[in-house]
Amino acid sequence: MQERRFDFIVDSHCHLNYKGLVEEQGAVIDRARRAGVGCMLAINTKLSEYDDVRAIAENNSDVYATVGIHPHEAENEPDVAIEALLERASHSKTVGIGETGLDYYYDNAPRDMQKVNFRNHIAAARTSGLPVIVHTRDADDDCINMLQAEMAQGEFSGLIHCFTASQRLADACIEMGMSISISGIATFKSAKELQETVKTIPMDKLLVETDAPFLAPVPHRGKTCEPAFVMDTARFVADLKGVEFTDFTNITTSNFFNLFNKIDDSFKPVELA
């Protein structure tokens, strides 16, 4: 069978239910489609908001959802059982677990609670077969140690989203078979170290995202970020990697569907009038 070639790109991480996007959600999604974004992954960060995120996916054939509790929310939603994640993960348009992980920069939740939350999500990912989406900031050592310990108990797939961490974390995650997603931060003039790390990430492990409504890439700095802007990040990273843009689009989109493989092979982007 001939390998499918993709002529669109995916925003692998956006928050379509967040302030700044939700007010004109339909227009935001339409602008993304017209920019060449064929698929968007709407990320859940509070279990109490899962129904809102799922509804966006149900109402748009090119939007999928995840289920998860952000490390910032680990204290606010501390008693979520693995079964609660798995129940929601069974929905046909819920294709990933997270975002979850560790954030020691803000420490909005006690670190021990963040770790419990992270482990529960990994367990749900392992059981469901869906990839875990990892947020990590200023927590490289604990993130590596936890991922390695959990991987030793049973393999699971995963993605480090909005990667800004060390070369050491990138290398460790790639060695574990995980993928890495790059946001608009890579386009910032101050991101020289990150740009050097991006150059080392194998193309078959690379995805791109916006993390909208945050982190608008150059040339949109200062604006509310939206999924359409993933094209600017993709062009920048393609140049950084020395890859033709059409090849970059094809590879990263293929990587997305290989990782989030619950999405049916017959997926097609929305046809525009």
Side-chain angles (χ1 to χ4, degrees), residues 75-197:
E75 186 174 21
N76 297 328
E77 299 190 8
D79 299 320
V80 175
I82 296 169
E83 289 73 22
L85 296 171
L86 291 173
E87 178 185 356
R88 290 160 178 82
S90 66
H91 187 274
S92 61
K93 294 212 72 178
T94 301
V95 299
I97 305 293
E99 66 185 282
T100 182
L102 304 172
D103 193 312
Y104 294 174
Y105 180 82
Y106 286 108
D107 271 330
N108 285 349
R111 295 182 180 183
D112 59 338
M113 298 184 82
Q114 292 187 45
K115 290 178 180 179
V116 170
N117 181 57
F118 194 10
R119 289 192 186 96
N120 285 346
H121 282 70
I122 292 172
R126 186 186 293 117
T127 301
S128 67
L130 302 181
V132 63
I133 299 145
V134 179
H135 168 109
T136 179
R137 189 169 184 189
D138 285 6
D140 286 16
D141 288 343
D142 279 359
C143 187
I144 291 170
N145 291 338
M146 287 187 66
L147 287 171
Q148 289 177 337
E150 290 294 327
M151 197 69 74
Q153 293 183 37
E155 291 187 357
F156 55 92
S157 61
L159 173 68
I160 307 297
H161 108 89
C162 191
F163 184 88
T164 57
S166 65
Q167 182 74 58
R168 183 166 55 87
L169 179 63
D171 292 343
C173 290
I174 290 165
E175 186 176 349
M176 285 184 274
M178 300 184 73
S179 298
I180 294 176
S181 182
I182 306 301
S183 73
I185 292 176
T187 71
F188 299 176
K189 289 183 179 179
S190 60
K192 298 301 182 186
E193 186 175 347
L194 172 60
Q195 292 165 10
E196 291 304 310
T197 301

Side-chain angles (χ1 to χ4, degrees), residues 6-266:
F6 299 93
D7 58 359
F8 60 89
I9 204 159
V10 177
D11 183 357
S12 67
H13 195 110
C14 56
H15 300 279
L16 295 170
N17 64 315
Y18 275 24
K19 182 179 179 181
L21 299 183
V22 69
E23 299 88 347
E24 53 169 344
Q25 191 179 91
V28 165
I29 292 172
D30 185 64
R31 286 195 291 270
R33 291 167 178 163
R34 295 188 182 282
V37 182
C39 183
M40 290 155 269
L41 186 58
I43 303 297
N44 182 214
T45 58
K46 300 178 184 179
L47 209 63
S48 57
E49 296 179 357
Y50 168 75
D51 288 349
D52 296 334
V53 177
R54 185 202 63 215
I56 302 169
E58 289 176 333
N59 292 330
N60 296 276
S61 64
D62 52 352
V63 177
Y64 290 84
T66 69
V67 57
I69 302 164
H70 194 286
H72 290 341
E73 305 298 330
E75 186 174 21
N76 297 328
E77 299 190 8
D79 299 320
V80 175
I82 296 169
E83 289 73 22
L85 296 171
L86 291 173
E87 178 185 356
R88 290 160 178 82
S90 66
H91 187 274
S92 61
K93 294 212 72 178
T94 301
V95 299
I97 305 293
E99 66 185 282
T100 182
L102 304 172
D103 193 312
Y104 294 174
Y105 180 82
Y106 286 108
D107 271 330
N108 285 349
R111 295 182 180 183
D112 59 338
M113 298 184 82
Q114 292 187 45
K115 290 178 180 179
V116 170
N117 181 57
F118 194 10
R119 289 192 186 96
N120 285 346
H121 282 70
I122 292 172
R126 186 186 293 117
T127 301
S128 67
L130 302 181
V132 63
I133 299 145
V134 179
H135 168 109
T136 179
R137 189 169 184 189
D138 285 6
D140 286 16
D141 288 343
D142 279 359
C143 187
I144 291 170
N145 291 338
M146 287 187 66
L147 287 171
Q148 289 177 337
E150 290 294 327
M151 197 69 74
Q153 293 183 37
E155 291 187 357
F156 55 92
S157 61
L159 173 68
I160 307 297
H161 108 89
C162 191
F163 184 88
T164 57
S166 65
Q167 182 74 58
R168 183 166 55 87
L169 179 63
D171 292 343
C173 290
I174 290 165
E175 186 176 349
M176 285 184 274
M178 300 184 73
S179 298
I180 294 176
S181 182
I182 306 301
S183 73
I185 292 176
T187 71
F188 299 176
K189 289 183 179 179
S190 60
K192 298 301 182 186
E193 186 175 347
L194 172 60
Q195 292 165 10
E196 291 304 310
T197 301
V198 171
K199 291 178 183 178
T200 72
I201 299 171
M203 280 300 302
D204 66 347
K205 295 298 182 184
L206 192 64
L207 279 73
V208 285
E209 65 172 84
T210 58
D211 203 12
F214 313 111
L215 308 174
V218 175
H220 306 285
R221 294 286 311 263
K223 298 179 181 178
T224 299
C225 190
E226 56 183 79
F229 296 173
V230 75
M231 298 296 286
D232 298 280
T233 299
R235 289 189 183 94
F236 182 91
V237 178
D239 287 344
L240 198 63
K241 299 286 287 183
V243 177
E244 290 290 336
F245 182 67
T246 54
D247 291 335
F248 184 89
T249 296
N250 178 58
I251 293 168
T252 55
T253 299
S254 179
N255 292 343
F256 174 84
F257 287 113
N258 287 338
L259 180 62
F260 294 95
N261 57 19
K262 184 176 175 179
I263 301 175
D264 192 274
D265 288 343
S266 64

